[in-house]
Amino acid sequence: QLCCLSLQEVGPTMVGDEHSDPSLMSFLGATKRNMLGNHFWEYYVNEAPRVVLDKLESRGYRVVSMTGVGQTLVWCLHKE
């Protein structure tokens, strides 16, 4: 299972954490970063969520749920 989140509808899009599959993060063109004050690393891309979701669909992932939390949008995906 994979979750993507975006603070805006146009990006950046957070696509993983420090435990995410490095080959999938590379496929998405993600950059690993540590934001000041956070005790964890995250992967992000500068693309809109729809672009990321299209890429993940090409790899067999399907959206199973989506929700909004404040101004953040979260999609949960599953791969059979």
Side-chain angles (χ1 to χ4, degrees):
Q1 197 162 10
L2 175 75
C3 289
C4 293
L5 75 109
S6 174
L7 300 176
Q8 306 169 11
E9 292 178 355
V10 297
T13 303
M14 274 47 97
V15 294
D17 62 19
E18 67 255 38
H19 305 293
S20 297
D21 177 4
S23 64
L24 181 60
M25 297 300 105
S26 178
F27 168 75
L28 294 173
T31 302
K32 191 176 181 181
R33 70 179 177 188
N34 176 259
M35 300 294 284
L36 184 63
N38 288 345
H39 300 288
F40 58 89
W41 291 81
E42 63 188 10
Y43 283 95
Y44 78 99
V45 296
N46 283 320
E47 296 173 316
R50 63 178 175 75
V51 175
V52 175
L53 292 169
D54 286 347
K55 286 182 178 182
L56 290 168
E57 182 181 33
S58 77
R59 282 283 181 103
Y61 288 90
R62 299 289 178 257
V63 174
V64 293
S65 67
M66 184 271 183
T67 190
V69 182
Q71 292 184 336
T72 300
L73 303 173
V74 180
W75 292 264
C76 288
L77 292 83
H78 180 74
K79 182 176 180 180
E80 293 295 328

